Amino acid sequence: MAGTPEEHADKKNIGIKINHLDLTVPEGITILEAAHKAGVKIPTLCHLDLHDIKMVNKTASCRVCMVELVDSKNNRNKIVPACVTKVSEGMEILTSSLRAITTRRMSVELLLSNHPNECFTCPKNRECELQALAAELGIREIRWEGERMDYPKDLSSGAIVKDSNKCIYCRRCETMCNEVQTCGILSGIGRGFDAHVGPAFNIPMVESSCTYCGQCVQVCPTAALTEVNHTDKVWEALNDPDKHVIVQTAPAIRVTIGEMFNMEPGTIVTGKLVTALKRMGFNTVFDTDFGADLTIMEEAAELIYRLNNNKTLPMLTSCCPAWVKFIEHQFPELLDIPSTCKSPHIMFGTIIKTYYAEKNGIDPDNIVIVSVMPCIAKKAETKRPELTKDEHNNVDIVVTTRELGLMIKEAGLDFESLPDSEYDKPLGETTGASVIFGTTGGVIEAAIRTAYEWITGGELKKVEFEQLRGAAGLRKATVQVGDKTLRIGIASGLGNARTLLEEIRDGKAEYEAIEIMACPGGCIAGGGQPYHHGNFEIVKKRQEAIYQEDRNKKIRKSHENSEILKLYKEYIGEPFNDTAHRLLHTHYEERERI
Amino acid sequence: MKINSLDKLKKIRNEYQKNVCLRVNSTDSENSDIRIEILIGMATCGISAGAKDTFNAFQEELAKQGVNDAKVVSVGCIGYCHSEPTVQVNIRGREPVLYGNVKKEEVQEIVQKHIKGGNPIEALTLAINFERA
Amino acid sequence: MVEISNNKKLLRIALRNCGLLNPEDIFEYIALGGYESLGKAITQMTQDQVIDEIKKSGLRGRGGGGFPTGLKWELTKKQKSQEKFIICNADEGDPGAFMDRSILEGDPHSVLEAMAIGGYAIGARKGLIYIRAEYPLAIARLSTALQQAGENGLLGENIFGTDFSFDIYLKYGAGAFVCGEETALINSCEGKRGEPNYKPPYPVEEGYWGYPTCVNNVETFANIAPIITKGAQWFASLGTEKCKGTKVFALVGKIKNVGVIEVPMGTTLREIIYDIGGGIPGGRKFKAVQTGGPSGGVIGEANLDTPMDYDSLISIGSMMGSGGMIIMDETDNMVKIAKFYLEFTMDESCGRCTPCRIGTKRLYEILNKITSRKGTMADLDALKQLAYMVKDGSLCGLGQTAPNPVISTMKYFWDEYLAFIKDVDHPRGEGRYTAKNKIGIRS
Ligand SMILES: Cc1cc2nc3c(=O)[nH]c(=O)nc-3n(C[C@H](O)[C@H](O)[C@H](O)COP(=O)(O)O)c2cc1C
Ligand code: SF4
Ligand code: SF4
Ligand code: FES
C-alpha cells in the first residue's frame, strides 16, 4: 500500500469512522489505505500502487472500490472511489452499505458484460484479476446483454499479444508505459464504448516504437496484454527425433520459477529446474550464466579498450534487448555508446551452434536452442535482421518463465518434489558474477570484478561492490580501480534510463560505464516473470535470492571460469579480437520514433 | 495608439459616442452624426438565414435610391432565431423598428417605404420589449 | 406583426450589447462604456475588493454547476503559486445550446474585458479561451477583438498604466461534449486526451500544467463588467434569494419563438414558454420541457410554475445546465426522447470509467429493446437500477447526469414506458406486476 510510515510521520492525525468504527488515521491518506489499516478490505481493480518504482495508477476508472460517504447534514450520501479519495476530519465511511455494494458489483457486472466469456482458454486463466474479483464479489449472473468490443488480436510484434477485447480500460499499462518507461506507446484510443488502449492511431504494435519490455504485461489485470505463446514450438522440437534440443535458462529464472508452483518468492530452485528440463526431454540443459560470463569477458575487454584508446565513453551495457530498442528509437544520436556485445543468451546460442556443434559433431542445422528468459523483448530480439541473416548466431525459440512453468505443469512434473541436478557440461561451469546479471546493478558489478583484475593485474579481495547495489531505479557510484576512478551509472526502468541518457547527450554528467536494464528492478522483475500482482515485496525477495546464489558460488569472477578460458584458448583466442567480433558482437540501427 | 489611462478611455468614449447614440436612444439624439442606422444581425444564425445577402442588398439599394445619410452596421444576434435575418432601423428622433425575416427581396421595399418614406412596414415588424443593463 | 413579449420579462445583462453594436469594432464597445470596468477594477480597486464585489453580487457560474464565482476567484487567489491561469470555457457542447456562441459573436469584448478583470483579481497573467473549432465566426470575431484590444493597450503589458499585464490566447477544441468539463478541458488545452480527471484536486488547486486555474463560462464572464460598473447591490437586487441576476436560455423545439432569451432568475417555465416563447405552434398541447441539455431531466406540466434557478430545478430532477431548453409537445414520445439524449451522452462519453463507458451503452440497449416493443417489466427494473448506478458511480459530471433524462421520464411519464412493455396489459397493466425488488432499487 502506498505511503510508507515515514511519509506520513509529519502529518497530523485525524478522526474518521469506517463502518461505524472510530479510527484515528494520518491526514492525507486515501480511504483505501485507511480501511486497510482498520483491517477492512475494499476490492480494487484499476488501482495499482507500485511506489517502489514510482508507479501509482490513479485513473479511478473501474469504479469497483466505491464506498458510501455519509452526509447527514444534507441528507445526501455520496458514492466515492476509495482508491483516490482522501480521508478528512470527521468523515464517515460505509464500505459495505447496500448502495456501495450495488455500485461495486454492477461495475464488475458491466465489465463482464463487455468481456469475452472465455476463461477456460484464456492465457490469464486463474491469474486474472477480473476473474478473481468476480469470484470474490460473488457475481452469479450478468444481467446486461449487449454489444461487446470486437477488435482483432494484435500479434504483429511476435512478442506481445494485444487482445483489446479483454481490456477493461484500467490504464495501468498506459501509466507504466508513459510514466515509468517513458515510451509513450500505449494510451487511450477511441471514445465511449470504443475506448481501449493501443498505440497512437491504433497502428500494429510492430510498427510502433514499443521496446517489448513487457512491463505493461506485468501490470495488466486481464489478458488484454500477454506474451506470444511459443510453448507449442518447444513441444514440437522436443518430439522431433531429428532435432538436438538444447535449453538454456537465464540467471533470473532460478529464483522466480518456484512461484509458478506456489513456492515462496525468493526460493532458489536451480537444481529442480534442471531436473525438470531434463525430464521434459531436452537433450542438453545449459545455463545462460555461461553466456553471461562470456559477455563479461567481452564487455570488460571492450571497456578497457575504450578507456585506453580514448574511444567513446561511457560504455553502456547491452544485455537488455528492450533497452537496446529503446535507445535505437529514442536516442539514435547516441548509438555509438552501447557496448557492441550481443546479449548473453545470443552469445551462448552462437557458441553452441559453432564451437559446441563442431566439438560434438552435431549438425548445427539440427540444433534447436530454446532460451528460457524472464523477458518478452528477447522473443523479438531473435527476429532482429542482423541476427537472422546468418543461421548460426542466434537462438531458435524464446519462452518466458511463465511459459516454462506451464510446460512443466503440462509435463505432469511435481516440481517441488523434484530432486536436484546439475547443468550439463562442457559449457556448464558458471560463476557468481554471471548469476547477478539477473538484478539491477549485477551486470556492471560482474564487469568490474573482471576489469579490476585485468587493469590492476592484482587480485580483487572483496568481490562485492555494495555501492553498485540497491533498489533505487537510478544510482550513481564510483569505483576505484588502480589509479583510475570509474564513474558508474546504473538505471533500471526506461524512464531512469532516459534521465541518464539525457544527461549524457547534454553533457551534464560524465561516466565511464553505465548499466541499463529496461525493467524496474532488473530481470528479476522482467515482463516474462511470474506475475507479482502488484506486490513489489516479491521482487525484493527475488533480488535477495540472486545475491545469495552469488555467495553460494565457489568462483565469483567470470574470467576465472575454467570453461570460458578453455573456450578462448581452443576457439576464440583473445577477447575482443576479430573472431570475437564475428561471433559475439553486433551492431545497432537507427529507428523511427512513433 | 495605446489607451493607458481611464481618462484616455473616457475621451475615446466621448469621441465615438455619436457613432452609437442613435442605438442607445434614437428618440433623443440630436448630437448624432448619423441620421439613419440599419443594424443587421450577423451572427451564425443570421448569416445562415441569408443576412449577408440582406446586408449587401441594403448597401446596393441605398446607393441605388440615393440615400446617403444612412449607415449599415453588422451586429450580433438579438436572439430572434425564429425570424432571422433580423434588421433594426434606427431613425433619429423616432422609435427603433425591428424587422424579422428580412430576405434580400424585402430590402427594396424597406428602403423605399420606411427609410425614404418614413413609414415602417407593419407586416414585417417584430415587437420588442426588453431592458438592457 | 409578431408579438414577442408584452410585459417586461426580458432583461439583458449578459446579452446587453448583442445586436446593438458591431462586434468587430472595439470603439463601438468603448463608446457604450466598454473597458471602463476593467479600468476601474485595476486602477481603483484592490484584488480583494474586486473579488468582494463579485461575491456580494451573488453571481453563480452559468456553465451549469452554479458555483459562486466570487468564491472561485477567491480560492484561486489564495493559492500560493508563481503562475496562475484563467480560462474561459467556450466549449458549449450541449445539443440545442447556442447562448455562448451568441455572446462571443455579438459582444466578444465583454468576455475579454471580464477575463482581464478576473485575471487581475486572482493574480493571473495569462488567460485562455477554449473554444470549439466548429464556431468559426466566433473565433474570427474573438481574434479581431483580441487584436484590437492589444493594439489599444487594453490587453498586454501594463494595462491602464498599471503594472498589471495580461494576455489572452485561443485554444481550439475538437467539439467533444466532455471537453466542456473543466478538468477535461484543461487536459485538452495541454494537448492531452480530452478526458476528465478525478477531482480533487480541483483546477483552482492544480489546473493548467499544474498551476492554479480558474475556469469560468462565457456567460459568467459576460456578467462581470456590469457588476463592476453598476455595483454588486444592483445585481443582487435581481433574481431570487439564492440566485441573483439573469440567465440566458436558448429556446428550441416545439415552440413558436425559437431563439435566445435572457430573463431574471426565478422566472417560471410557464412564463418563458408561453409569454416569451409564444407557446406551442400548430395548436398542439405542451408536454414537457428538457432543461440542462442531455444532462438535465424533463419537466412536465405539473412543474411548469417552478421558478428557474439552480436549486429548484435540481429538486425536480432536472438541472439548469448551461441554458438549453428544448420544448416537446404531445406528439413527442418520452421514451424515445430519453433514448435520444442517452444516445448523445453514450456517444460523447470519453469512456474512462466503467459506469459511463459500458453503463450508458447498456442503458441505451435496454431503451432500444423497450422502444422496439421487446421489453419486459424486468427490463424496466434493470433500466431503473442501472440508471441510478451510473449516476452514483461515474467519474465526472457527464456520466453522473447522463441517466437524468431516463430517470425523470420514468418518474413523470411511467405510463409511456408501460405502453411499450409486452408483458403488461396496458393501461390496466399497472399494479398487476410487482417488480422483483433486487438490491439497490430506489425510486
Ligand atoms: C460533461 C460536462 C460538460 C460541460 N460543458 C460545459 C460547457 O460546454 N461550457 C461550460 O461553460 N461549462 C461546461 N461544463 C461545466 C464546467 O465543468 C465548469 O463547471 C464550468 O465551466 C465552470 O464555469 P462557471 O463556474 O462559470 O459555470 C460542463 C460540465 C460537464 C460535466
Ligand atoms: S490493456 Fe490491460 S493494463 Fe492496459 S488498460 Fe487494458 S486492461 Fe488495463
Ligand atoms: S463519466 Fe463518462 S465522460 Fe466522465 S469520465 Fe466517466 S466515461 Fe468519461
Ligand atoms: S480501484 Fe478505485 S476506481 Fe478502480
Side-chain angles (χ1 to χ4, degrees):
Chain A
M1 292 287 119
T4 54
E6 308 87 75
E7 271 172 47
H8 298 305
D10 53 336
K11 295 268 171 67
K12 71 170 206 247
N13 283 336
I14 55 171
I16 60 166
K17 265 189 180 149
I18 296 186
N19 300 338
H20 309 295
L21 218 77
D22 284 305
L23 288 172
T24 309
V25 296
E27 193 178 22
I29 65 172
T30 61
I31 294 177
L32 184 67
E33 288 161 338
H36 190 72
K37 282 178 196 290
V40 175
K41 189 173 178 224
I42 300 171
T44 58
L45 183 56
C46 66
H47 176 74
L48 182 68
D49 188 341
L50 299 176
H51 61 274
D52 299 82
I53 57 167
K54 299 200 173 62
M55 185 234 166
V56 185
N57 192 43
K58 290 188 283 210
T59 47
S61 61
C62 74
R63 319 307 275 185
V64 166
C65 66
M66 305 306 271
V67 295
E68 186 165 350
L69 283 192
V70 180
D71 178 359
S72 35
K73 205 170 78 204
N74 297 312
N75 196 18
R76 220 188 303 151
N77 289 5
K78 257 174 75 182
I79 297 287
V80 299
C83 66
V84 288
T85 309
K86 302 236 166 94
V87 290
S88 60
E89 181 65 55
M91 201 178 236
E92 273 183 61
I93 301 149
L94 302 173
T95 68
S96 50
S97 69
L98 183 59
R99 211 168 142 201
I101 290 183
T102 309
T103 315
R104 189 179 298 161
R105 269 209 211 159
M106 283 172 82
S107 283
V108 176
E109 276 183 51
L110 286 173
L111 287 170
L112 293 175
S113 78
N114 186 27
H115 203 84
N117 285 326
E118 40 179 70
C119 293
F120 288 143
T121 50
C122 179
K124 267 305 208 27
N125 195 6
R126 302 173 73 193
E127 292 269 18
C128 171
E129 293 177 38
L130 180 62
Q131 190 186 40
L133 195 61
E136 208 174 296
L137 297 185
I139 308 287
R140 293 289 172 268
E141 179 194 13
I142 302 162
R143 278 170 296 171
W144 327 110
E145 291 260 320
E147 195 184 323
R148 284 159 194 258
M149 282 194 286
D150 188 15
Y151 296 103
K153 263 189 210 167
D154 180 356
L155 293 146
S156 64
S157 69
I160 290 177
V161 189
K162 185 164 80 68
D163 183 357
S164 294
N165 296 344
K166 292 181 179 163
C167 175
I168 55 147
Y169 210 48
C170 66
R171 322 279 284 276
R172 288 180 182 180
C173 55
E174 183 178 344
T175 307
M176 181 55 96
C177 186
N178 291 274
E179 287 174 25
V180 182
Q181 300 297 64
T182 67
C183 296
I185 311 304
L186 293 175
S187 64
I189 48 176
R191 301 194 71 84
F193 190 72
D194 298 328
H196 63 290
V197 161
F201 310 111
N202 211 8
I203 54 171
M205 291 291 278
V206 70
E207 289 170 22
S208 76
S209 310
C210 175
T211 66
Y212 312 127
C213 73
Q215 286 300 305
C216 55
V217 173
Q218 259 307 334
V219 296
C220 180
T222 68
L225 293 165
T226 51
E227 76 271 40
V228 174
N229 185 312
H230 287 117
T231 56
D232 280 352
K233 278 173 121 183
V234 180
W235 285 124
E236 271 163 33
L238 286 173
N239 284 278
D240 185 338
D242 297 335
K243 297 290 183 200
H244 185 88
V245 190
I246 299 179
V247 65
Q248 55 167 322
T249 64
I253 311 299
R254 67 208 67 195
V255 297
T256 58
I257 196 163
E259 290 168 35
M260 294 297 292
F261 309 98
N262 299 324
M263 295 167 77
E264 265 305 297
T267 314
I268 302 169
V269 293
T270 323
K272 296 183 195 304
L273 173 62
V274 177
T275 309
L277 292 166
K278 290 194 167 160
R279 294 205 183 163
M280 283 166 75
F282 287 100
N283 301 75
T284 313
V285 180
F286 279 148
D287 189 348
T288 309
D289 285 15
F290 185 85
D293 279 333
L294 193 55
T295 305
I296 290 303
M297 298 293 282
E298 291 300 319
E299 246 173 28
E302 183 178 353
L303 178 63
I304 292 169
Y305 170 79
R306 289 210 206 172
L307 283 168
N308 291 344
N309 295 282
N310 277 334
K311 297 284 177 189
T312 324
L313 285 172
M315 186 185 82
L316 277 63
T317 59
S318 57
C319 322
C320 169
W323 135 240
V324 165
K325 193 155 181 280
F326 178 81
I327 194 174
E328 288 177 327
H329 285 291
Q330 310 281 341
F331 293 89
E333 69 276 21
L334 293 181
L335 281 183
D336 57 337
I337 60 175
S339 154
T340 53
C341 288
K342 289 179 179 173
S343 68
H345 81 124
I346 302 282
M347 278 199 185
F348 200 8
T350 312
I351 293 301
I352 290 169
K353 288 195 179 170
T354 53
Y355 172 72
Y356 177 85
E358 262 171 48
K359 247 183 109 121
N360 293 279
I362 310 170
D363 179 355
D365 285 342
N366 284 335
I367 294 181
V368 175
I369 303 179
V370 179
S371 293
V372 182
M373 294 286 130
C375 182
I376 294 178
K378 295 211 166 73
K379 287 180 184 269
E381 180 190 20
T382 60
K383 306 278 175 344
R384 287 178 66 99
E386 70 277 12
L387 296 182
T388 41
K389 65 181 195 301
D390 164 12
E391 282 175 37
H392 301 140
N393 65 355
N394 206 340
V395 303
D396 300 286
I397 307 170
V398 173
V399 292
T400 62
T401 320
R402 290 191 296 263
E403 287 171 273
L404 179 63
L406 292 173
M407 290 182 74
I408 294 173
K409 287 179 189 170
E410 261 185 296
L413 299 171
D414 177 9
F415 190 79
E416 223 177 326
S417 61
L418 289 178
D420 288 350
S421 15
E422 301 254 323
Y423 284 106
D424 285 321
K425 293 197 186 254
L427 313 185
E429 186 173 313
T430 57
T431 69
S434 54
V435 168
I436 57 175
F437 262 58
T439 176
T440 170
V443 175
I444 205 73
E445 181 171 335
I448 298 292
R449 288 180 190 177
T450 291
Y452 183 93
E453 295 201 349
W454 283 358
I455 292 173
T456 62
E459 195 201 332
L460 178 66
K461 293 260 161 42
K462 186 173 182 322
V463 296
E464 281 141 358
F465 288 89
E466 291 298 335
Q467 70 266 47
L468 301 176
R469 300 185 175 187
L474 189 55
R475 310 195 294 284
K476 296 173 186 184
T478 54
V479 175
Q480 196 62 33
V481 181
D483 55 359
K484 284 196 171 75
T485 308
L486 299 185
R487 291 162 295 180
I488 291 169
I490 299 167
S492 80
L494 291 170
N496 294 320
R498 180 184 293 278
T499 310
L500 266 186
L501 288 173
E502 279 170 356
E503 280 182 8
I504 294 165
R505 184 193 59 198
D506 304 342
K508 288 204 185 116
E510 284 186 21
Y511 301 94
E512 276 71 39
I514 284 182
E515 176 204 286
I516 293 181
M517 294 188 186
C519 294
C523 308
I524 44 173
Q529 293 283 35
Y531 295 112
H532 53 62
H533 292 291
N535 183 355
F536 227 72
E537 292 307 311
I538 292 177
V539 174
K540 291 184 191 157
K541 292 196 180 125
R542 295 173 183 171
Q543 190 181 41
E544 282 160 26
I546 285 264
Y547 285 123
Q548 181 57 44
E549 184 78 342
D550 171 30
R551 286 192 293 274
N552 292 345
K553 291 274 183 179
K554 280 198 293 291
I555 309 172
R556 298 179 68 187
K557 300 166 199 154
S558 301
H559 60 286
E560 291 175 358
N561 180 330
S562 63
E563 288 180 353
I564 288 278
L565 296 176
K566 192 164 162 221
L567 168 67
Y568 275 98
K569 205 165 115 213
E570 286 183 3
Y571 196 69
I572 305 173
E574 288 298 309
F576 210 57
N577 69 3
D578 284 350
T579 314
H581 267 102
R582 183 169 50 81
L583 295 173
L584 308 177
H585 289 255
T586 183
H587 59 271
Y588 310 112
E589 62 178 81
E590 227 175 88
R591 291 171 193 266
E592 251 186 300
R593 187 168 167 175
I594 298 166
Chain B
M1 181 208 47
K2 299 272 181 192
I3 301 172
N4 50 17
S5 70
L6 253 182
D7 289 339
K8 200 145 178 193
L9 182 76
K10 288 192 173 136
K11 234 172 71 204
I12 292 187
R13 176 178 182 172
N14 291 335
E15 209 173 298
Y16 284 88
Q17 197 106 51
K18 30 190 195 313
N19 285 7
V20 295
C21 58
L22 251 194
R23 292 174 227 174
V24 180
N25 189 348
S26 52
T27 47
D28 162 41
S29 39
E30 296 312 308
N31 39 12
S32 168
D33 280 357
I34 306 149
R35 197 179 68 84
I36 303 169
E37 215 172 36
I38 300 157
L39 309 182
I40 302 186
M42 297 262 275
T44 298
C45 44
I47 290 173
S48 59
K52 262 197 182 126
D53 289 342
T54 309
F55 187 92
N56 294 337
F58 265 109
Q59 281 185 320
E60 280 165 27
E61 211 43 57
L62 290 171
K64 209 156 67 187
Q65 302 197 24
V67 183
N68 43 27
D69 56 353
K71 194 173 126 193
V72 191
V73 187
S74 121
V75 297
C77 164
I78 201 161
Y80 300 146
C81 307
H82 50 87
S83 306
E84 293 290 352
T86 52
V87 171
Q88 185 176 338
V89 178
N90 297 340
I91 300 180
R92 197 194 292 162
R94 296 211 195 178
E95 285 287 339
V97 175
L98 182 71
Y99 290 113
N101 300 311
V102 185
K103 308 277 182 252
K104 62 177 191 282
E105 294 74 28
E106 268 76 46
V107 171
Q108 194 250 345
E109 199 187 350
I110 295 178
V111 172
Q112 191 165 25
K113 292 200 177 137
H114 185 177
I115 293 170
K116 290 179 84 177
N119 299 314
I121 302 157
E122 270 289 305
L124 285 176
T125 55
L126 302 172
I128 51 162
N129 200 346
F130 55 72
E131 256 179 75
R132 289 184 192 267
Chain C
M1 177 142 143
V2 184
E3 200 68 18
I4 306 292
S5 160
N6 45 15
N7 45 11
K8 288 206 173 179
K9 287 211 174 88
L10 293 158
L11 171 63
R12 301 190 138 206
I13 300 175
L15 298 176
R16 64 194 177 281
N17 293 326
C18 287
L20 189 67
L21 54 65
N22 179 352
E24 291 174 13
D25 185 351
I26 190 171
F27 296 112
E28 291 206 355
Y29 182 68
I30 292 174
L32 289 166
Y35 287 104
E36 268 171 40
S37 299
L38 175 62
K40 180 176 169 193
I42 66 177
T43 62
Q44 296 166 7
M45 296 166 83
T46 64
Q47 289 170 276
D48 289 328
Q49 281 171 334
V50 174
I51 290 174
D52 212 44
E53 201 65 23
I54 303 299
K55 273 174 83 176
K56 276 195 286 193
S57 76
L59 175 65
R60 293 171 65 174
R62 303 294 194 241
F67 191 84
T69 306
L71 185 58
K72 200 187 269 187
W73 287 16
E74 183 176 58
L75 291 172
T76 323
K77 187 198 166 224
K78 273 193 191 151
Q79 300 290 321
K80 291 192 185 64
S81 170
Q82 282 296 317
E83 191 134 23
K84 289 174 191 178
F85 292 93
I86 190 160
I87 298 185
C88 172
N89 186 344
D91 191 53
E92 198 167 47
D94 296 26
F98 43 87
M99 300 77 54
D100 294 348
R101 190 188 68 197
S102 287
I103 295 174
L104 294 170
E105 289 178 353
D107 193 14
H109 285 288
S110 70
V111 174
L112 305 187
E113 180 180 4
M115 286 180 74
I117 295 172
Y120 169 72
I122 66 169
R125 290 181 43 105
K126 284 199 186 101
L128 303 174
I129 301 176
Y130 184 84
I131 183 164
R132 47 173 46 219
E134 289 92 330
Y135 279 180
L137 187 62
I139 291 172
R141 292 202 174 145
L142 272 174
S143 308
T144 310
L146 279 172
Q147 196 196 338
Q148 293 177 349
E151 281 166 5
N152 289 289
L154 295 165
L155 288 177
E157 297 295 314
N158 304 100
I159 302 174
F160 285 110
T162 66
D163 48 15
F164 173 63
S165 304
F166 189 75
D167 277 306
I168 296 176
Y169 304 88
L170 296 182
K171 291 266 176 187
Y172 306 114
F177 175 53
V178 71
C179 285
E181 198 283 333
E182 50 193 3
T183 57
L185 179 148
I186 289 170
N187 279 335
S188 177
C189 283
E190 291 174 0
K192 299 187 188 139
R193 187 176 156 86
E195 65 178 17
N197 290 348
Y198 181 72
K199 295 189 276 195
Y202 289 90
V204 297
E205 302 155 342
E206 277 175 43
Y208 189 54
W209 295 117
Y211 296 107
T213 302
C214 176
V215 182
N216 281 124
N217 165 261
V218 172
E219 189 187 331
T220 312
F221 279 123
N223 280 295
I224 297 292
I227 294 176
I228 297 292
T229 19
K230 300 194 166 195
Q233 243 169 10
W234 158 77
F235 193 83
S237 70
L238 306 163
T240 65
E241 196 196 322
K242 281 191 177 155
C243 297
K244 304 300 184 189
T246 57
K247 178 76 193 95
V248 179
F249 293 102
L251 296 185
V252 294
K254 309 288 178 53
I255 183 121
K256 277 194 193 129
N257 301 332
V258 170
V260 180
I261 60 159
E262 183 170 352
V263 292
M265 289 278 185
T267 307
T268 66
L269 277 167
R270 194 181 298 283
E271 291 169 304
I272 294 176
I273 294 167
Y274 290 99
D275 299 348
I276 300 166
I280 315 298
R284 285 189 294 272
K285 253 183 73 192
F286 166 84
K287 187 177 215 172
V289 50
Q290 169 95 8
T291 63
S295 327
V298 298
I299 298 168
E301 180 80 42
N303 287 315
L304 270 189
D305 293 310
T306 310
M308 294 292 281
D309 62 50
Y310 298 98
D311 313 289
S312 312
L313 283 176
I314 286 177
S315 73
I316 55 171
S318 183
M319 59 186 258
M320 182 85 89
S322 49
M325 209 180 261
I326 302 176
I327 290 94
M328 290 157 266
D329 71 17
E330 55 188 336
T331 61
D332 290 309
N333 181 288
M334 299 316 283
V335 185
K336 289 184 179 163
I337 294 279
K339 194 174 92 175
F340 165 81
Y341 283 116
L342 208 83
E343 184 172 13
F344 176 82
T345 37
M346 175 182 80
D347 287 342
E348 291 295 328
S349 161
C350 79
R352 176 165 177 159
C353 65
T354 311
C356 178
R357 179 178 73 252
I358 309 175
T360 55
K361 180 90 177 175
R362 298 293 174 248
L363 284 173
Y364 177 76
E365 285 166 345
I366 300 172
L367 282 169
N368 228 354
K369 189 173 169 194
I370 292 170
T371 53
S372 10
R373 301 181 189 280
K374 295 192 186 113
T376 61
M377 283 306 284
D379 288 316
L380 283 186
D381 265 3
L383 184 68
K384 193 168 179 183
Q385 194 179 359
L386 187 54
Y388 278 108
M389 182 271 176
V390 172
K391 203 170 159 65
D392 270 353
S394 290
L395 186 144
C396 86
L398 188 143
Q400 286 160 6
T401 56
N404 282 351
V406 179
I407 293 173
S408 63
T409 48
M410 283 184 105
K411 189 162 166 189
Y412 297 118
F413 300 94
W414 180 241
D415 223 41
E416 294 190 22
Y417 280 87
L418 284 182
F420 279 116
I421 299 302
K422 62 176 185 192
D423 59 357
V424 287
D425 235 354
H426 183 73
R428 285 173 297 117
E430 272 179 276
R432 283 187 23 186
Y433 174 91
T434 356
K436 266 191 281 173
N437 200 22
K438 292 203 179 160
I439 55 167
I441 291 198
R442 287 171 291 132
S443 53

